[in-house]
Amino acid sequence: EVKAPGKGADPRRFRDPHDREQWERLKSLPNLMYTDGSAFSLWRDGELDGTIMRLQGELDAAGAALSAPPALQMLFEDFLRWQPIAPRSARQLAELTARLCRLLRDEVAEQMAHGSAPLTELATDWRRLLFPDAGDERFADGYAQAVTFGLLVARARGLSLRDGLDPVARGLGRTDSLIGTALRLLTDSAENQKVLQTSIGTLVRVLDEVEWSVLSRGDADAWLYFYEQFLDVYDSRLRKQTGSYYTPPEVVEAMVRLVDDALRTRFGQAKGLGASNVTIADPAVGTGTFLIGVLRRIASAVEVADGAGAVPAAIDAAIKRLYAFEIQLGPYAVAQLRIVAELTSLCGEVPHEPLRMFVTDTLANPWIEQERMGALYEPIAESRRRANRIKRENAITVVVGNPPYKEKARGMGGWVESGGENHPAPLLDWMPPPAWGVSAHAKHLRNLYVYFWRWATWKVFDHDPSADRGIVCFITVAGFLNGPGFQRMREDLRRKTDEIWIIDCSPEGHQPEVNTRIFQGVQQPICIMLASRSPSSASDVPAPVRYRALPEGH
């Protein structure tokens, strides 16, 4: 980075706002030299490497007497001979990837502000295909994450990045059409790559050193907290905005076991989650922990009943009954990697059945058909159409997961909140009537987790009168259990189900000590609730509610 004469080569001392802002971006680079022509410095991940060196003599007056310290040649050799160092753990990879992804996001945002025509046109397509309400800031974030995680998926698939992005996108398209198409869509323009060459060029060079199999060592759980660790470095504010808090496997295992037990004891399903007529959905799949929990539960039960040799066939059959929706491309890519690794571990190879995972807004109107697009865009459009068909037509027996949490989420509930032509908003069913005198508290229904509760109960209990038996099991904040604005929600749940189980996961109450929390970043009380409508349900009898609190403690 060449600065004007006299500015020096220590970006920490720059006073110009543009220079300071630029340094905040560039310090994510692993190999960076600053110079104003007289002073030279080398920076690695924002830290000064060695000392700042200066030419001997004035650049504009010394003439032939101008000389350099002997160590300057070593500085240039260190800079030019730099080679990326492969990260040694998943956490190191998350931190490294987050810094470079942030640089790419900031470069995209800067080019958008400058009116870059290719990026502006691409943002229009992005909104039309994936996220209609995305502003420039969200587009820059989505672009950066899609490119970054597309490259990570490529390395996990064993694809080299050295020959350019086009062969990588084409190679991914053969195994993962959605990620491959997104990468091609976002990097197809040579002009885009030129204006973003600092960040994309560094990403390609650094991630090409990643050996996925070495980092994971065959352990699917190595990636359990990858995206959460990524967000901590990339943008902790974004993590709070998206409500992205990932569930510990011990909690997932317990919730999946409870659902499996309920299917066996209340629904007459001897095989529980492994039954051929039980369909399962995770509406906010995140990095895939609940789907992995379901697959492990099925595999464990089959191995006990029929032996290990029966597991691959059972898992292959189960994949046909699993559905997953996710709105963010980053966690979607991580979920794909984790689940493929888990399937390989359980079956010895990846089953032939494709994963039914979709990048989509679960809460969006399922009756809106995505228009057909050109060949390059079509896989993304078709993914949206398939997701809408499932939301619109397929019966679901079990909805399980950890929906995102965000207060004051008015306008983020899509069709669930606002409805659509000929299809009223399901959330209206939970609005308390004025006569109840609690309308002032109804604003608390405008929370992301409540939208997901209403989508899940609509899908399992209301969507198809001929298939209105099933289970919803979520871990969410617990405000709906006794808040006055949730009276209609509670009444509706007890009327439509025949049994409800609640586990209070926050016996210490509001704002407990951090080391007592399941989600360290969430200070509100948390609960697990399982609501069941079994074949013997009678709608005129309110469901009994069974309650248990965990013991207080760390």
Side-chain angles (χ1 to χ4, degrees):
E1 176 61 32
V2 181
K3 311 308 292 184
K7 278 202 171 182
D10 188 347
R12 299 168 301 186
R13 298 180 178 276
F14 290 161
R15 295 290 176 261
D16 180 84
H18 168 75
D19 291 335
R20 294 176 67 88
E21 182 181 333
Q22 183 191 52
W23 166 238
E24 285 302 311
R25 292 201 310 272
L26 294 183
K27 69 182 182 181
S28 296
L29 290 169
N31 190 42
L32 170 67
M33 181 174 284
Y34 262 94
T35 181
D36 68 348
S38 295
F40 300 84
S41 59
L42 183 59
W43 302 82
R44 299 272 163 81
D45 299 316
E47 298 293 331
L48 179 64
D49 190 316
T51 61
I52 298 174
M53 300 184 190
R54 290 175 174 79
L55 298 181
Q56 296 161 356
E58 294 297 325
L59 189 65
D60 57 349
L66 188 68
S67 62
L72 185 60
Q73 181 175 335
M74 289 288 293
L75 188 75
F76 277 109
E77 288 180 354
D78 285 348
F79 174 67
L80 294 171
R81 291 178 177 174
W82 171 82
Q83 293 294 328
I85 299 173
R88 295 186 296 274
S89 68
R91 175 179 283 278
Q92 282 188 3
L93 177 61
E95 294 170 353
L96 171 67
T97 304
R99 292 196 300 270
L100 296 178
C101 185
R102 186 171 58 206
L103 175 63
L104 175 55
R105 179 196 64 186
D106 293 345
E107 279 198 348
V108 173
E110 182 180 49
Q111 292 299 322
M112 292 286 288
H114 291 162
S116 168
L119 283 172
T120 301
E121 292 170 7
L122 183 59
T124 300
D125 292 334
W126 175 271
R127 295 180 183 106
R128 184 166 43 139
L129 285 164
L130 289 170
F131 309 116
D133 301 323
D136 286 352
E137 182 179 355
R138 186 175 173 192
F139 166 73
D141 169 63
Y143 181 108
Q145 289 202 48
V147 171
T148 300
F149 282 95
L151 295 175
L152 279 172
V153 171
R155 291 303 298 134
R157 299 280 189 268
L159 298 174
S160 172
L161 309 182
R162 297 172 190 172
D163 298 326
L165 297 181
D166 188 57
V168 170
R170 294 180 187 279
L172 277 178
R174 289 191 286 270
T175 57
D176 189 331
S177 60
L178 183 60
I179 292 291
T181 300
L183 193 60
R184 282 191 66 193
L185 171 65
L186 298 173
T187 59
D188 212 37
S189 165
E191 189 171 345
N192 277 353
Q193 290 192 44
K194 183 177 180 181
V195 298
L196 303 172
Q197 60 185 346
T198 300
S199 50
I200 289 182
T202 307
L203 261 173
V204 167
R205 190 170 178 197
V206 170
L207 294 187
D208 197 48
E209 299 296 319
V210 171
E211 292 294 339
W212 196 269
S213 59
V214 173
L215 292 180
S216 65
R217 298 180 180 86
D219 179 12
D221 283 344
W223 309 107
L224 178 61
Y225 295 110
F226 184 86
Y227 192 68
E228 198 165 1
Q229 293 162 353
F230 169 89
L231 280 182
D232 279 340
V233 176
Y234 173 70
D235 191 338
S236 58
R237 177 179 56 91
L238 178 66
R239 175 177 169 179
K240 293 177 181 178
Q241 286 178 348
T242 57
S244 300
Y245 296 96
Y246 297 107
T247 320
E250 297 86 351
V251 175
V252 172
E253 182 181 354
M255 291 174 63
V256 169
R257 177 179 55 79
L258 290 170
V259 171
D260 192 55
D261 286 350
L263 288 169
R264 294 171 187 271
T265 60
R266 303 313 201 265
F267 288 73
Q269 298 286 359
K271 294 184 177 181
L273 290 165
S276 61
N277 60 340
V278 171
T279 50
I280 304 150
D282 185 342
V285 73
T287 57
T289 307
F290 279 92
L291 289 191
I292 289 174
V294 168
L295 291 169
R296 288 177 178 175
R297 183 75 182 180
I298 293 172
S300 176
V302 169
E303 185 172 0
V304 170
D306 304 315
V311 170
I315 294 298
D316 208 41
I319 292 173
K320 301 175 185 177
R321 303 181 285 104
L322 294 179
Y323 303 102
F325 306 128
E326 175 54 49
I327 196 170
Q328 300 177 88
L329 273 167
Y332 168 87
V334 175
Q336 288 245 322
L337 292 170
R338 291 188 64 208
I339 292 171
V340 167
E342 184 67 29
L343 291 172
T344 304
S345 173
L346 293 173
C347 304
E349 62 178 358
V350 179
H352 300 299
E353 277 294 323
L355 296 173
R356 287 159 174 80
M357 291 180 60
F358 304 94
V359 175
T360 187
D361 181 356
T362 302
L363 307 174
N365 189 345
W367 283 274
I368 292 181
E369 274 296 325
Q370 185 68 44
E371 62 184 295
R372 297 199 173 271
M373 310 294 293
L376 176 60
Y377 298 84
E378 184 56 26
I380 295 178
E382 174 57 21
S383 176
R384 293 293 298 275
R385 286 194 293 270
R386 288 184 62 203
N388 278 341
R389 279 198 299 272
I390 290 167
K391 290 189 285 181
R392 185 174 62 239
E393 300 169 8
N394 291 35
I396 299 293
T397 316
V398 173
V399 175
V400 62
N402 167 21
Y405 170 77
K406 178 172 172 54
E407 295 181 279
K408 299 178 182 178
R410 180 181 291 273
M412 298 177 66
W415 166 75
V416 171
E417 179 185 15
S418 305
E421 189 176 353
N422 301 322
H423 298 96
L427 188 68
L428 293 176
D429 295 342
W430 287 0
M431 288 293 173
W436 289 13
V438 293
S439 297
H441 300 280
K443 63 184 180 182
H444 297 299
L445 289 165
R446 311 283 182 176
N447 190 308
L448 269 181
Y449 86 92
V450 178
Y451 298 152
F452 276 88
W453 262 115
R454 186 62 191 106
W455 181 89
T457 56
W458 166 80
K459 189 62 182 166
V460 175
F461 306 134
D462 304 332
H463 163 254
D464 183 354
S466 66
D468 61 353
R469 302 297 193 264
I471 293 170
V472 179
C473 184
F474 278 161
I475 179 167
T476 65
V477 296
F480 71 96
L481 295 181
N482 54 18
F486 300 97
Q487 289 183 22
R488 190 65 176 268
M489 174 182 175
R490 294 192 293 268
E491 184 270 342
D492 191 57
L493 284 167
R494 293 193 68 199
R495 179 167 49 83
K496 289 176 180 173
T497 65
D498 59 351
E499 288 185 287
I500 294 174
W501 292 267
I502 294 167
I503 300 174
D504 178 0
C505 302
S506 304
E508 300 85 2
H510 186 64
Q511 291 183 328
E513 293 181 40
V514 172
N515 57 10
T516 71
R517 305 175 189 175
I518 286 180
F519 307 114
Q520 293 191 355
V522 179
Q523 59 185 349
Q524 290 80 4
I526 299 291
C527 74
I528 295 168
M529 185 164 104
L530 188 153
S532 166
R533 180 180 174 89
S534 70
S536 59
S537 174
S539 60
D540 58 339
V541 179
V545 179
R546 297 183 174 86
Y547 173 91
R548 174 169 293 178
L550 299 181
E552 294 188 20
H554 295 171

